[in-house]
Amino acid sequence: MNFLGHLYLSRQHSDEIIVGNFIADGLKGRELRDLPPMVLKGIKLHRYIDDFTDKNPWVKKSKQRLYSDYGKYSPVIIDIFYDHFLATEWNDYSSEMNLNDFAQCSYDLLESYPQYLTDPIKGLLFHMRKQNWLYHYSEISGMERTFQGMSRRARFDSRMETSCEALVKDYHLYREEFRAFFPEIIRFVEQLSL
């Protein structure tokens, strides 16, 4: 799961757990040392979600389909494909608020805890809000912009800028795999004790 999936899966937790979940990939060793327990629980939640996702047979099937063209970037691409399906099928998973309202509330919440955000994470959040990534995951054009930006920042030739072609080509297969996977990860997260 990418940003939208992680935020959705942590939405029932405290604000600090949500923030910890969001910042988890941007922090290393020493940066974790002085964080409060609830933020650390959010980081732990993020890692549990990633671990479950990486081992899930539906996700593995999706990644395998991409592997010959995208290699080690396949897991990253699938995370974003799955955020796309969560965004397009949002009303099937959330009756609390629509996707755009959820996105705006998420940005507001994250920005209200600047003390836990490193400068790179603040920069990421600025662009995320400015371009409303969470909402625009629902559109192929929004996905294309995301992949173009990621491709520019990749250390190696990732070809991620072409990944929406793969999504469109096998759209129904990725959607079926997402639909099988997502209820499983919801149950997994509900049963976790942090």
Side-chain angles (χ1 to χ4, degrees), residues 137-155:
Y137 282 148
S138 65
E139 305 162 347
I140 297 291
S141 60
M143 303 279 289
E144 287 172 335
R145 282 191 302 276
T146 296
F147 285 122
Q148 287 165 1
M150 292 176 72
S151 186
R152 283 192 302 272
R153 293 187 299 275
R155 291 184 185 175

Side-chain angles (χ1 to χ4, degrees), residues 22-151:
F22 178 76
I23 66 175
D25 283 339
L27 298 178
K28 303 287 183 260
R30 289 183 110 172
E31 296 169 316
L32 301 173
R33 206 174 28 189
D34 299 323
L35 293 172
M38 295 306 275
V39 174
L40 291 172
K41 283 185 178 187
I43 292 169
K44 192 175 181 182
L45 173 61
H46 183 102
R47 293 182 179 156
Y48 282 141
I49 291 168
D50 282 356
D51 187 58
F52 181 90
T53 301
D54 291 342
K55 293 176 180 172
N56 186 275
W58 296 108
V59 177
K60 285 181 178 180
K61 196 171 182 180
S62 293
K63 288 190 283 193
Q64 189 174 34
R65 190 176 302 109
L66 284 179
Y67 193 82
S68 63
D69 290 326
Y70 298 99
K72 67 180 183 177
Y73 293 100
S74 300
V76 176
I77 294 168
I78 291 302
D79 283 349
I80 296 169
F81 282 9
Y82 280 24
D83 267 15
H84 166 71
F85 291 114
L86 175 56
T88 59
E89 300 183 9
W90 183 259
N91 293 335
D92 293 341
Y93 298 103
S94 178
S95 58
E96 302 153 22
M97 61 178 77
N98 67 44
L99 177 59
N100 192 53
D101 289 346
F102 179 82
Q104 299 308 316
C105 288
S106 296
Y107 304 139
D108 289 345
L109 185 151
L110 295 167
E111 288 174 350
S112 70
Y113 288 90
Q115 68 273 31
Y116 305 135
L117 309 182
T118 62
D119 287 341
I121 294 172
K122 286 177 184 173
L124 173 84
L125 181 56
F126 171 81
H127 290 291
M128 184 182 285
R129 175 169 222 151
K130 183 178 179 188
Q131 298 165 8
N132 200 3
W133 292 1
L134 298 177
Y135 178 77
H136 289 293
Y137 282 148
S138 65
E139 305 162 347
I140 297 291
S141 60
M143 303 279 289
E144 287 172 335
R145 282 191 302 276
T146 296
F147 285 122
Q148 287 165 1
M150 292 176 72
S151 186

Side-chain angles (χ1 to χ4, degrees), residues 148-163:
Q148 287 165 1
M150 292 176 72
S151 186
R152 283 192 302 272
R153 293 187 299 275
R155 291 184 185 175
F156 304 101
D157 182 20
S158 68
R159 298 186 55 249
M160 281 190 280
E161 73 278 4
T162 68
S163 57

Side-chain angles (χ1 to χ4, degrees), residues 174-185:
Y174 292 115
R175 184 176 57 201
E176 285 173 15
E177 289 153 6
F178 167 80
R179 286 176 173 173
F181 160 75
F182 203 61
E184 292 180 6
I185 198 165

